[in-house]
């Protein structure tokens, strides 16, 4: 075996540049054949092969090599080559870091990671910037058929369950133009009417008003198209005025002093709204002022949602007290370099926004993410994240994984809490004897917990379970706490159990549902 | 084989010399140690003396006489190319340059020309110490009637060499030691890597690089020669890490100074950084800053910033040399320090 060594040519040089390999790695070389070019002070020299054989290069060209080092070996036999190739030294030559490969900016890479988009989908000459990724995200949202609904184009509705009413037929609830004219020109006289009278007039003039709708004292509902499903309740002094349509799903209720102003409002079923909730603000008449609130969402007291660009709120989203969502800013001239932002806000299904938190225009809160109280959200928050601070930073996950035993323990506690609460309410629940399934009895109805409901129990009974396998027999109701389903009928005791579960964050299908009072 | 797709600059220059010698009988080359098989310290002239014996003259170590002999050949209608092994040694020829070569044509009322080309490598970053690492081209910038052209690794090296030989004025071709070993990254399809490039049409063209296809940008960096890759590294870092886009203007003609491409770029960007490897005081950047405030005061929203070597002697120790010479970080900092940079 032969070695190619970089010899020291003069006293004041310690390194030389291995400028160029003149032969390929593993090439056959002849004795005396120039194999590489080396640059040292005042000299660029060709280094010749000391003998014939297969060259094994140890350095990449373009690197500086300490003089005296072996830069390549020449294997004179196949055995020598094999032993060289199995040795650690024959690992591929040290490569210079290749700076020329990366073409996406840090901001672009981060945004792509947040939105889980593939940068290779951007076909572009030149650098890939944040703007390119934003365009890709918008394009993919459209490609995904995200929204064929006009004005929502470019907004992904992935993981956003919009209320069914968004697709209610255009002909539904169209108000007589003359009646709309009356509502808009003399709202005071309409406000002065009683709830039943208001519902009757609206219905007679084309609005679609369901059974049991309650329009509070002093309230006004005015829009070219009005759909209020069964059991909708709007509190005293509510003002609902939409430029095109307002549609509110069954059993949705808002407390007093609701203000709902925008171009098109679709509020799902079973939404619970507190007092002094406001939707609207600057730009609420804009063509893009579209509001969608998913089924079972919660909107706390004094929450304010600015709607001048689409605001999509998914199913079971919590906007707690004084949540503030804005879709535009206000300020100085964009031509002087000030930001001038108009952008939609999306809260994916089951996202939660804490007390007094602010969500800035253009942000998307991922499914089941939690924004801590008082936070200021200026960037997208990924699904399942817990974000806190000003500006909000992701610090962890919004939930943690439960082991099956722990889950069973927590579910059992719901049964115990129900038992205790019923007792505190002055009822007389009595504990059953030790055994499976465990539980108590109240008013002749047994309330039981079993991790898996497989075999029929004698009725009447209400069974809490984590896994409803069997169909309940007559007289037995089953609450599947994991699949969140109610099976069978169970009267007042079932209603009480369902209400307690609601307070633990468990909402059941079929819904929407509202506790009408009773044992609790 | 691990050879890059692009030819190394030294190879491009070597082939260009061979073609020039084949095309023109009046071209000669003079220099120290330029004969084969050694072929010159940096191998730019390799193979030339074997191919054209008699037209390649190896000379004693006396730059003053070398300049004198070459000037005489040029006065008599030859097209000599003078290789000065290290740019530092042009100092030895300065009397010939300043009092002879630059002046003959005017002193003799246009009856003679001095079509002389001086090729010499400048620049450090190789640990060659105080007298083999300098960038002295700025000493030529005040000399009337000579042309100073700096070769950068993205320029058309053959085109510059041919233009210099065909020029009737004395031309200094400033080469760079690190550039020799680097690939000649010519624009392909209007791009070098991810950067769009425009090239002016003059005999000694300037290249303007843009990361935004010449739309918006925050600043212009004007540079040349061995600082070009440093400036491009800085621009790439500014884009990738900060989304701050700058244009780079890589001049080749440093004297007479043609600022048209710089003015054009600054009209788009509104701010200017100069970057050179020579020392700061009285340098390329100083001259450009002075001219730009006269010509483009209305376009500049911040003072021109200069990036250059510290005013001092280049140390032999590599770490100290690195601290002395301007780096990509220095360019990034200069851009970041510009008041009003849009990010």
């Amino acid at each position: 075996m032969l070695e190619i060594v970089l010899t020291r040519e003069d006293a004041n040089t310690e390194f030389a540049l291995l400028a160029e390999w003149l032969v390929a790695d593993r090439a056959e070389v002849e004795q005396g054949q120039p194999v590489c070019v080396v640059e040292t002070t005042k000299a660029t020299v060709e280094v010749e092969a000391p003998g014939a054989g297969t060259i094994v290069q140890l350095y990449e060209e373009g690197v500086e090599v300490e003089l005296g080092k072996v830069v390549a070996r020449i294997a004179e036999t196949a055995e020598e080559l094999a032993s060289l190739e199995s040795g650690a030294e024959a690992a591929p030559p040290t490569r210079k870091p290749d700076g020329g490969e990366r073409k996406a900016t840090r901001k672009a890479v981060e945004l792509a990671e947040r939105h889980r988009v593939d940068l290779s989908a951007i076909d572009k000459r030149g650098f890939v910037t944040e703007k390119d990724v934003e365009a890709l995200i918008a394009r993919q949202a459209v490609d995904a058929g995200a929204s064929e609904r006009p004005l929502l184009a470019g907004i992904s509705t992935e993981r956003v369950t919009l209320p069914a009413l968004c697709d209610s037929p255009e002909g539904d609830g169209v108000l007589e133009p003359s009646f709309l004219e009356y509502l808009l020109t003399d709202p005071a006289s309409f406000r002065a009417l009683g709830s039943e009278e208001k519902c009757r007039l609206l219905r007679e003039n084309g609005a679609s008003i369901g059974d049991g709708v309650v329009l509070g004292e002093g309230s006004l509902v005015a829009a070219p198209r009005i759909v209020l499903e069964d059991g909708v309740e709007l509190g005293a002094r509510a003002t609902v005025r939409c430029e095109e349509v307002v549609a509110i799903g069954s059993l949705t209720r808002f407390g007093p002093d609701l203000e709902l102003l925008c171009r098109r409002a679709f509020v799902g079923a079973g939404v619970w709204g507190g007092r002094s909730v406001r939707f609207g603000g600057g730009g609420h008449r804009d063509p893009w002022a579209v509001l969608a609130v998913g089924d079972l969402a919660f909107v706390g007291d004094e929450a304010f949602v600015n709607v001048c660009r689409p605001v999509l709120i998914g199913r079971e989203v919590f906007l707690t007290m004084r949540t503030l969502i804005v879709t535009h800013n206000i300020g100085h001239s964009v031509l002087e370099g000030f930001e001038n932002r108009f952008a939609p806000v999306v809260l994916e299904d089951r996202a939660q926004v804490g007390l007094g938190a602010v969500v800035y225009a253009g942000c998307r809160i991922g499914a089941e993410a939690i924004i801590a109280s008082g936070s200021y959200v200026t960037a997208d928050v990924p699904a399942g994240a817990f974000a806190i601070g000003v500006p909000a930073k992701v610090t962890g996950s919004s939930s943690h994984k439960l082991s099956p035993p722990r889950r069973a323990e927590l579910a059992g506690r719901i049964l115990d809490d129900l038992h205790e609460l019923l007792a505190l309410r002055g009822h007389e629940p009595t504990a059953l004897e030790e055994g499976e399934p465990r539980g108590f009895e109240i008013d002749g109805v047994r309330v039981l917990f079993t991790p898996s409901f497989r075999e029929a129990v004698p009725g009447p009974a209400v069974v809490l379970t984590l896994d409803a396998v069997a169909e309940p027999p007559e007289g037995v109701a089953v609450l599947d706490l994991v699949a969140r389903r109610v099976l069978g009928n169970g009267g007042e005791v079932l209603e009480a159990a369902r209400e307690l579960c609601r307070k633990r964050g468990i909402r059941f299908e079929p819904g929407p549902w509202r506790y009408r009072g009773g044992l609790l | 084989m691990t050879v890059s797709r692009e030819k190394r600059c030294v190879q491009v220059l070597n082939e260009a010399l061979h073609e020039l010698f084949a095309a023109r009988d009046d071209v000669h080359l003079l220099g120290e140690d330029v004969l084969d098989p050694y072929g010159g310290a940096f191998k730019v002239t390799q193979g030339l003396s074997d191919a054209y014996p008699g037209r390649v003259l190896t000379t004693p170590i006396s730059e003053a006489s070398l300049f004198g002999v070459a000037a005489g050949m040029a006065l008599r209608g030859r097209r000599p190319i003078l290789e000065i092994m290290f740019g530092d040694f042009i100092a030895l020829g300065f009397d010939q340059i300043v009092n002879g070569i630059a002046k003959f044509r005017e002193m003799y009322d246009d009856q003679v020309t001095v079509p002389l080309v001086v090729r010499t490598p400048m620049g450090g970053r190789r640990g060659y110490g105080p007298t083999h690492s300098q960038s002295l081209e700025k000493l030529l910038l005040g000399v009337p009637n000579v042309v100073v052209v700096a070769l950068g690794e993205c320029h058309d090296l053959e085109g510059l060499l041919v233009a210099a030989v065909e020029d009737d004025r004395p031309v200094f071709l400033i080469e760079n030691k690190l550039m020799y070993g680097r690939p000649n990254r010519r624009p392909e399809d209007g791009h070098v890597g991810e950067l769009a490039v425009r090239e002016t049409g003059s005999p000694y063209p300037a290249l303007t690089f843009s990361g935004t296809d010449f739309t918006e940008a925050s600043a212009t960096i004007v540079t040349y020669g061995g600082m070009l890759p440093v400036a491009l590294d800085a621009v790439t870092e500014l884009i990738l890490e900060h989304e701050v886009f700058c244009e780079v203007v890589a001049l080749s003609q440093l004297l007479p100074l043609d600022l048209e491409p710089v003015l054009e770029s600054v009209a788009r960007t509104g701010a200017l950084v100069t970057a050179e490897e020579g020392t700061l005081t009285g340098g390329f950047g100083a001259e450009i800053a002075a001219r730009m405030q006269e010509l483009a005061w209305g376009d500049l929203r911040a003072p021109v910033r200069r990036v250059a070597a510290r005013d001092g002697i280049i140390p032999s120790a590599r770490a100290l040399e690195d601290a002395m010479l301007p780096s990509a970080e220095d360019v990034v900092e200069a851009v970041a320090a510009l008041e009003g940079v849009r990010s």
Side-chain angles (χ1 to χ4, degrees):
Chain A
M1 188 174 345
L2 302 166
E3 289 180 340
I4 299 176
V5 181
L6 291 194
T7 53
R8 204 176 166 112
E9 305 278 332
D10 57 55
N12 57 17
T13 310
E14 286 162 14
F15 288 88
L17 178 71
L18 176 55
E20 186 178 8
W21 282 110
L22 300 172
V23 295
D25 194 22
R26 307 293 195 272
E28 295 299 319
V29 297
E30 298 298 320
Q31 182 171 6
Q33 180 182 349
V35 292
C36 62
V37 178
V38 174
E39 281 181 37
T40 67
T41 317
K42 283 198 183 184
T44 300
V45 292
E46 284 183 355
V47 178
E48 296 173 356
T54 307
I55 190 165
V56 176
Q57 296 170 357
L58 305 180
Y59 288 88
E60 181 84 351
E61 66 181 27
V63 301
E64 294 220 321
V65 181
E66 199 180 334
L67 294 176
K69 289 270 182 197
V70 177
V71 293
R73 294 183 200 280
I74 293 174
E76 294 173 290
T77 63
E79 289 73 29
E80 279 184 6
L81 182 61
S83 97
L84 267 181
E85 291 192 322
S86 60
E89 210 184 33
T94 327
R95 288 189 182 276
K96 282 194 302 181
D98 195 348
E101 287 300 305
R102 195 178 139 210
K103 57 179 278 189
T105 68
R106 188 167 49 78
K107 286 180 182 175
V109 171
E110 286 172 1
L111 184 63
E113 280 171 2
R114 277 208 302 281
H115 287 268
R116 299 180 203 88
V117 296
D118 184 4
L119 283 174
S120 66
I122 297 173
D123 181 22
K124 179 194 178 192
R125 183 85 202 232
F127 291 96
V128 172
T129 64
E130 200 176 20
K131 243 188 230 169
D132 297 321
V133 179
E134 281 170 0
L136 173 70
I137 291 165
R139 205 168 61 236
Q140 289 190 344
V142 173
D143 290 348
S147 205
E148 286 150 20
R149 299 178 182 95
L151 302 179
L152 296 187
I155 304 171
S156 167
T157 51
E158 200 184 336
R159 299 184 301 271
V160 183
T161 310
L162 295 176
L165 282 169
C166 283
D167 297 319
S168 68
E170 290 291 321
D172 268 12
V174 176
L175 216 56
E176 279 294 329
S178 59
F179 189 71
L180 178 61
E181 180 73 17
Y182 152 69
L183 288 175
L184 296 177
T185 50
D186 189 11
S189 72
F190 183 81
R191 285 183 194 274
L193 300 173
S195 176
E196 283 181 22
E197 185 68 1
K198 283 174 183 169
C199 291
R200 186 183 63 78
L201 277 174
L202 286 169
R203 210 176 272 132
E204 283 175 0
N205 286 286
S208 169
I209 308 293
D211 294 335
V213 170
V214 177
L215 300 179
E217 192 183 321
S219 63
L220 171 73
V221 180
R225 204 154 83 70
I226 299 172
V227 178
L228 303 178
E229 292 187 338
D230 295 350
V232 166
E233 287 182 22
L234 302 185
R237 297 173 300 281
T239 301
V240 176
R241 217 174 56 218
C242 295
E243 306 302 310
E244 291 181 27
V245 56
V246 57
I248 303 180
S250 58
L251 292 179
T252 284
R253 61 83 71 184
F254 282 93
D257 299 306
L258 166 72
E259 187 180 283
L260 172 50
L261 308 176
C262 63
R263 186 153 283 274
R264 301 197 287 154
F266 304 98
V267 179
V271 172
W272 196 97
R275 64 175 171 77
S276 302
V277 169
R278 280 185 69 202
F279 297 95
H284 70 259
R285 287 194 169 92
D286 282 4
W288 309 275
V290 179
L291 171 73
V293 180
D295 291 350
L296 302 176
F298 174 93
V299 187
D301 295 350
E302 296 172 38
F304 173 54
V305 179
N306 166 226
V307 189
C308 82
R309 287 295 179 277
V311 174
L312 306 187
I313 295 173
R315 183 187 163 88
E316 287 186 65
V317 164
F318 278 80
L319 304 182
T320 51
M321 267 177 101
R322 299 204 189 107
T323 288
L324 183 55
I325 294 175
V326 293
T327 49
H328 75 105
N329 68 348
I330 188 160
H332 301 299
S333 166
V334 67
L335 298 181
E336 291 173 36
F338 292 96
E339 187 179 54
N340 195 214
R341 185 185 285 227
F342 291 81
V345 169
V346 179
L347 290 96
E348 294 178 0
D349 292 348
R350 306 185 88 202
Q352 301 181 47
V353 182
L355 301 169
V358 180
V359 180
Y360 191 55
C363 296
R364 185 181 187 98
I365 314 282
E368 298 189 348
I370 293 180
I371 308 302
S373 297
S375 297
Y376 184 61
V377 181
T378 57
D380 291 357
V381 173
F386 179 86
I388 184 168
V390 178
K393 296 245 185 311
V394 173
T395 58
S397 301
S398 59
S399 62
H400 55 274
K401 233 184 157 64
L402 291 177
S403 66
R406 175 69 177 151
R407 181 180 286 161
E409 184 192 332
L410 290 170
R413 203 174 288 172
I414 292 173
L415 180 85
D416 298 338
D417 287 351
L418 183 61
H419 186 176
E420 185 183 359
L421 192 58
L422 287 167
L424 289 170
R425 290 281 189 199
H427 308 292
E428 289 177 352
T430 51
L432 296 175
E433 286 185 17
E434 290 290 315
E436 286 301 325
R438 69 190 185 85
F440 61 89
E441 189 177 320
I442 180 165
D443 299 344
V445 178
R446 291 187 308 147
V447 183
L448 307 167
F449 171 71
T450 177
S452 178
F453 180 74
R454 290 176 180 283
E455 47 196 86
V457 294
V462 171
V463 181
L464 280 58
T465 184
L466 300 175
D467 184 17
V469 180
E471 281 296 316
E474 190 61 32
V476 175
V478 173
L479 286 170
D480 185 327
L481 303 177
V482 175
R484 300 193 288 146
R485 281 185 306 145
V486 184
L487 306 167
N489 300 308
E492 267 199 331
V493 178
L494 173 67
E495 294 291 290
R498 193 167 175 176
E499 172 65 359
L500 187 81
C501 287
R502 186 188 67 80
K503 290 181 174 170
R504 298 287 182 277
I506 307 168
R507 291 124 176 266
F508 295 93
E509 290 291 347
W513 168 89
R514 188 185 300 162
Y515 192 50
R516 301 279 181 185
L519 294 172
L520 293 186
Chain B
M1 196 143 161
T2 52
V3 176
S4 323
R5 269 169 301 143
E6 293 115 336
K7 285 178 184 166
R8 296 165 69 222
C9 291
V10 64
Q11 195 183 348
V12 175
L13 286 169
N14 180 258
E15 288 174 11
L17 281 172
H18 277 272
E19 280 176 32
L20 259 172
F21 269 65
R24 298 185 67 132
D25 291 336
D26 56 351
V27 178
H28 298 258
L29 189 130
L30 300 81
E32 294 159 8
D33 298 339
V34 293
L35 293 190
D36 293 316
Y38 185 64
F42 292 96
K43 301 289 173 276
V44 180
T45 57
Q46 191 142 52
L48 215 54
S49 67
D50 280 351
Y52 305 96
R55 287 167 64 192
V56 179
L57 306 176
T58 191
T59 70
I61 304 180
S62 171
E63 278 76 8
S65 56
L66 240 168
F67 273 101
V69 169
M73 292 173 75
L75 284 167
R76 295 303 303 258
R78 302 274 97 187
R79 299 264 162 178
I81 299 172
L82 186 53
E83 174 174 299
I84 300 297
M85 191 190 282
F86 281 78
D88 310 68
F89 309 151
I90 59 164
L92 291 158
F94 245 71
D95 181 57
Q96 294 284 353
I97 296 166
V98 173
N99 288 318
I101 291 165
K103 292 185 173 143
F104 288 144
R105 184 167 180 171
E106 274 192 50
M107 289 199 304
Y108 295 106
D109 193 22
D110 257 355
Q111 297 174 81
V112 294
T113 55
V114 192
L116 165 66
V117 175
V118 181
R119 290 184 35 250
T120 190
M122 297 280 186
R125 309 185 200 276
R126 293 295 306 274
Y128 292 170
T131 59
H132 291 72
S133 308
Q134 300 168 89
S135 296
L136 295 183
E137 58 277 8
K138 75 173 188 181
L139 299 181
L140 296 163
L141 293 189
V143 180
N145 298 342
V146 300
V147 179
V148 179
V149 175
L151 276 55
E153 64 185 51
C154 298
H155 284 101
D156 172 7
L157 302 181
E158 180 180 4
L160 293 177
L161 183 65
V162 170
V165 168
E166 288 177 350
D167 203 318
D168 285 338
R169 300 168 293 179
V171 179
F172 287 80
L173 282 183
I174 307 301
E175 299 173 359
N176 181 274
K177 298 176 197 99
L178 289 186
M179 183 194 78
Y180 288 142
R182 295 174 66 105
N184 188 192
R185 303 159 65 200
R186 289 291 295 151
E188 277 174 37
D189 193 18
H191 283 76
V192 168
E194 307 305 333
L195 296 167
V197 186
R198 285 180 183 167
E199 192 160 17
T200 58
S202 61
Y204 306 109
L207 297 169
T208 305
F209 300 77
S210 165
T212 57
D213 213 7
F214 303 96
T215 56
E216 54 187 320
S218 297
T220 300
I221 300 163
V222 59
T223 192
Y224 67 88
M227 274 300 278
L228 173 57
V230 178
L232 293 181
D233 283 353
V235 161
T236 303
E237 184 187 328
L238 282 163
I239 293 172
L240 291 179
E241 290 304 312
H242 310 287
E243 287 206 4
V244 170
F245 289 86
C246 294
E247 294 189 4
V248 172
V249 179
L251 297 178
S252 65
Q253 183 177 312
L254 307 186
L255 187 72
L257 201 47
D258 174 13
L259 287 179
E260 202 47 49
V262 184
L263 287 164
E264 234 177 65
S265 175
V266 167
R268 284 189 293 268
T269 65
L272 181 65
V273 171
T274 68
E276 69 202 288
E277 198 183 310
T279 47
L280 180 76
T281 302
F284 162 83
E287 180 63 29
I288 289 193
R291 291 188 186 216
M292 288 301 287
Q293 62 90 9
E294 288 168 4
L295 296 171
W297 184 248
D299 287 336
L300 290 167
R301 64 175 189 284
V304 177
R305 289 198 166 254
R306 290 178 294 160
V307 174
R310 283 64 173 161
D311 284 324
I313 291 165
I314 297 176
S316 295
R318 285 299 301 276
L320 296 179
E321 182 183 22
D322 285 345
M324 170 99 185
L325 297 179
S327 64
E329 283 317 299
D330 293 332
V331 177
V332 168
E333 274 173 32
V335 170
L338 281 172
E339 196 194 343
V341 160
R342 299 181 288 268
S343 61

